[in-house]
Amino acid sequence: AYNLGVGADLGLTSNEGDRFGYSGQFGVSTADEQGDALISLSYDNAGAQFDANGNRLLPNGVANNERIGLLTKLGYNIDEDQRVEFTYSLFRQIRDTEFTFDNAVAAEPDAEFGRALRIDADYEEPPQQTNYVLNLAYSNEDIGGSELNAQLYYRNTREVGIFTDLRGLNLPSTFPILWQTSLEDTDVGTRVQLDTPLGESASLLWGADYSVNETAAPLLVNDTAALDANNLVTVIDRSLDRFPEYELDSLGLFAQGRWDITDQFQLSGGLRYESVGLSVDDYQLAFSFSPVREREGGSNSFDDVLFNAGLLYSPIPEVGLFANFAQGFSIPNIGSALALVDPGLDVTTSELLLPQKVNNYEIGIRGDFNRVQATLAGFYNESSLGSAIAVDFATNQARVERAPQRNYGVEATVDWQPSDAWRLGGLFSWNEGENAADNDGDFEALSILEIDPIKVGLYLENETMPGWTNRLDALIIGTRDRSVDAGVDLFAGEGYTILDFSSNIQLGDGLLSLGIGNLLNNQYGTIRQQNNFNVTQRATGLGRTFQLGYSVSF
């Protein structure tokens, strides 16, 4: 079997020559009783992107890129119960942009968003990202009556960013002024699980997983003279780090049971033992407010036992009432936690790296009737040592804040098919969060960096003719004043609405897809971007854009 897809997109708010993008994908697959194979190649040349006013979007890692993908799968059926499968995927993205951030915007008192500045730079370390994934899976449907699934995987990410120029932004003199970010992240792990029946109405899923993650993020400091004289981005120093090189290993042992008590009641529950080891190297902190860049590393380990339970009750087949409790256990983002620390931090005792244990509660109802489907759920999460991002207005820097924390919210969806030709529905999401940052028992609102504002999604779909479907999608984003009232944020932001149109037409053996993004061409920035304290990197959203694609299998 073969599948082929081609596509193109065009920004409709600008006449720039590079606003056109195109893509292609080709795949071949084969299968018989003994095994199967698949190979798929994809190529995407993304053009420039523009906002509703025709201004070029800031460099965002999406526009002006070439992306190449390869996916290979090989499966072999050893016998009627056993199977082995190997997967290899490669993704490479080359950031072929001539633009950077215009620092002159910082001196404009009325500037609302950043501006792209054309600099056709020649890079010694070209901006690009490469991801590799290898996965080996084995399954056996009958080992003493249990079903076995085992997995071994390797993942690697390497990335180099475009240059950033901090000149003219009045930042500390200890900060590098011209640099590129880089990242190397490797993850190796395995998972083994068995699904064991316990009679006709119960089962137990049990097993173990283990992973090792190694991450490094050296900063590539560039030569300002070479950039000013010849637009050359050359690397003159690799000794500084955005955050330290570290290794994180995690072991989990788990058992999860399910019991169908009756046709109306289903009970589930389980335990998980989590053990985490952390090792941090000594490092030279790039963005240090102190002249002393040296930071000491160290090691630590943590473990805990987690519990979860759930109950599903169906008074009638169309309605389900559910209640769930689950505990989560995680290490805070190490890069964010250690990127702006003061000298003398002790990794082995610092509260910044202590694990976060969260109690999650959820209750709700869902219904599935002939032409109406709906869900309504509420959640409440609490942690005695939460992890949140907060902005220090004295330095205009984000920091990780560890404190008692609670989050809660409501989510609802509804879908209605009034006839065979029409479908409509929507979703509603509201959530809130707060922490006791001063550890005095008084909870204050979390920043907009952590809590999304109210979101409403609506859609209307019509099968205009057999094989031809048209759809409108609306996304409505509200505002959130609570963090501003508490002095946590400076600006609540302005809400916005985005309307998208799509049309799918069965054409021959394939499907022709047309779309117009941001149909009303609204000018907007996400609420988080509106709260970005660095105006030079405050980004607008995509303006009206046209997409066209055709896919066929044969």
Side-chain angles (χ1 to χ4, degrees):
Y2 303 89
N3 62 81
L4 173 67
V6 293
D9 60 83
L10 181 67
L12 299 179
T13 63
S14 171
N15 293 320
E16 294 284 344
D18 59 349
R19 61 194 173 121
F20 178 75
Y22 56 90
S23 62
Q25 180 270 332
F26 179 72
V28 181
S29 61
T30 183
D32 58 26
E33 293 182 357
Q34 195 66 56
D36 49 78
L38 164 71
I39 183 169
S40 178
L41 292 167
S42 62
Y43 176 78
D44 180 15
N45 191 314
Q49 294 181 332
F50 301 87
D51 65 18
N53 293 333
N55 301 313
R56 186 179 295 264
L57 296 194
L58 298 179
N60 56 13
V62 178
N64 297 114
N65 277 335
E66 283 188 281
R67 294 186 283 262
I68 301 170
L70 168 65
L71 173 64
T72 302
K73 285 186 178 182
L74 299 173
Y76 178 70
N77 302 317
I78 302 172
D79 55 35
E80 62 180 10
D81 293 325
Q82 300 182 82
R83 174 179 170 83
V84 62
E85 183 176 281
F86 173 75
T87 303
Y88 170 77
S89 68
L90 164 68
F91 172 80
R92 175 163 291 171
Q93 174 176 273
I94 301 171
R95 303 185 65 179
D96 186 22
T97 180
E98 300 176 353
F99 291 83
T100 185
F101 304 94
D102 188 352
N103 288 348
V105 174
E108 301 173 8
D110 297 328
E112 295 184 22
F113 293 99
R115 183 171 59 229
L117 175 67
R118 183 186 293 272
I119 295 182
D120 188 7
D122 185 12
Y123 284 89
E124 177 186 345
E125 291 280 352
Q128 59 183 302
Q129 176 183 335
T130 305
N131 298 341
Y132 301 92
V133 177
L134 293 92
N135 188 83
L136 180 64
Y138 168 78
S139 63
N140 190 323
E141 296 184 359
D142 188 6
I143 293 186
S146 297
E147 180 180 342
L148 169 70
N149 285 281
Q151 177 190 26
L152 180 65
Y153 62 86
Y154 170 86
R155 303 169 187 149
N156 178 265
T157 298
R158 296 181 181 181
E159 184 175 0
V160 176
I162 65 170
F163 77 86
T164 296
D165 190 345
L166 299 183
R167 286 177 289 184
L169 298 182
N170 297 319
L171 293 171
S173 60
T174 53
F175 280 24
I177 58 175
L178 187 68
W179 42 268
Q180 295 169 264
T181 60
S182 73
L183 176 70
E184 177 151 2
D185 185 89
T186 301
D187 198 16
V188 180
T190 185
R191 179 182 176 92
V192 179
Q193 67 178 38
L194 289 109
D195 194 350
T196 303
L198 301 175
E200 296 183 357
S201 60
S203 64
L204 178 67
L205 184 69
W206 55 285
D209 51 62
Y210 179 74
S211 65
V212 177
N213 175 247
E214 296 181 353
T215 302
L219 197 74
L220 309 181
V221 178
N222 305 129
D223 185 355
T224 56
L227 180 67
D228 293 339
N230 302 304
N231 283 351
L232 296 177
V233 182
T234 57
V235 181
I236 58 174
D237 188 1
R238 300 172 185 263
S239 65
L240 305 181
D241 299 287
R242 285 189 293 146
F243 55 82
E245 184 173 352
Y246 66 85
E247 179 178 305
L248 188 68
D249 60 88
S250 176
L251 170 67
L253 306 175
F254 60 88
Q256 184 72 27
R258 191 188 72 180
W259 180 23
D260 297 326
I261 304 173
T262 68
D263 292 339
Q264 294 178 308
F265 284 95
Q266 182 186 94
L267 181 66
S268 63
L271 294 171
R272 178 178 175 87
Y273 170 74
E274 188 91 29
S275 176
V276 177
L278 172 65
S279 178
V280 177
D281 291 353
D282 295 343
Y283 63 112
Q284 301 280 325
L285 184 60
F287 301 102
S288 172
F289 287 90
S290 164
V292 179
R293 295 192 182 276
E294 292 79 9
R295 302 293 188 272
E296 291 188 5
S299 59
N300 210 340
S301 61
F302 319 94
D303 67 336
D304 211 330
V305 176
L306 312 174
F307 171 74
N308 72 81
L311 177 65
L312 174 63
Y313 170 57
S314 300
I316 58 176
E318 294 82 7
V319 174
L321 304 169
F322 60 89
N324 298 306
F325 169 78
Q327 293 179 311
F329 179 87
S330 63
I331 300 295
N333 185 288
I334 297 171
S336 299
L338 297 181
L340 291 168
V341 297
D342 295 327
L345 178 84
D346 189 344
V347 170
T348 62
T349 60
S350 173
E351 187 180 74
L352 278 177
L353 297 180
L354 290 178
Q356 178 180 1
K357 186 174 182 178
V358 182
N359 294 323
N360 306 293
Y361 304 87
E362 182 185 26
I363 187 170
I365 182 173
R366 54 177 174 256
D368 188 352
F369 299 93
N370 184 30
R371 290 190 177 272
V372 177
Q373 303 81 43
T375 65
L376 176 63
F379 69 89
Y380 178 82
N381 306 332
E382 62 177 0
S383 174
S384 60
L385 187 62
S387 178
I389 300 295
V391 176
D392 184 346
F393 296 130
T395 61
N396 279 338
Q397 295 295 323
R399 68 182 189 278
V400 175
E401 195 170 66
R402 305 303 307 275
Q405 182 176 326
R406 56 197 184 198
N407 296 71
Y408 43 91
V410 175
E411 297 178 351
T413 66
V414 63
D415 298 275
W416 178 33
Q417 303 85 45
S419 70
D420 293 341
W422 288 94
R423 291 171 47 104
L424 65 155
L427 63 88
F428 171 82
S429 175
W430 170 83
N431 68 105
E432 190 50 80
E434 54 208 16
N435 68 357
D438 296 329
N439 288 303
D440 56 3
D442 293 332
F443 283 79
E444 293 186 345
L446 291 175
S447 168
I448 196 68
L449 299 174
E450 293 286 334
I451 303 297
D452 292 325
I454 289 176
K455 177 173 70 174
V456 176
L458 302 171
Y459 75 89
L460 176 66
E461 183 178 297
N462 173 247
E463 186 179 14
T464 310
M465 295 176 59
W468 180 22
T469 301
N470 293 286
R471 178 175 172 127
L472 282 171
D473 286 274
L475 176 64
I476 305 168
I477 301 297
T479 59
R480 176 173 175 263
D481 299 322
R482 188 181 173 204
S483 58
V484 177
D485 295 339
V488 176
D489 290 319
L490 295 178
F491 181 50
E494 297 181 359
Y496 55 90
T497 299
I498 303 297
L499 186 65
D500 297 325
F501 169 76
S502 62
S503 182
N504 295 308
I505 306 170
Q506 197 68 39
L507 194 63
D509 294 329
L511 184 68
L512 178 67
S513 300
L514 303 93
I516 301 178
N518 196 357
L519 182 65
L520 302 180
N521 200 38
N522 286 338
Q523 177 76 337
Y524 73 99
T526 66
I527 300 298
R528 293 185 185 183
Q529 283 296 334
Q530 292 178 50
N531 276 274
N532 189 335
F533 52 82
N534 184 355
V535 66
T536 65
Q537 298 188 17
R538 195 179 298 160
T540 51
L542 190 61
R544 186 184 292 124
T545 307
F546 176 74
Q547 302 96 27
L548 177 67
Y550 182 74
S551 60
V552 61
S553 297
F554 52 96

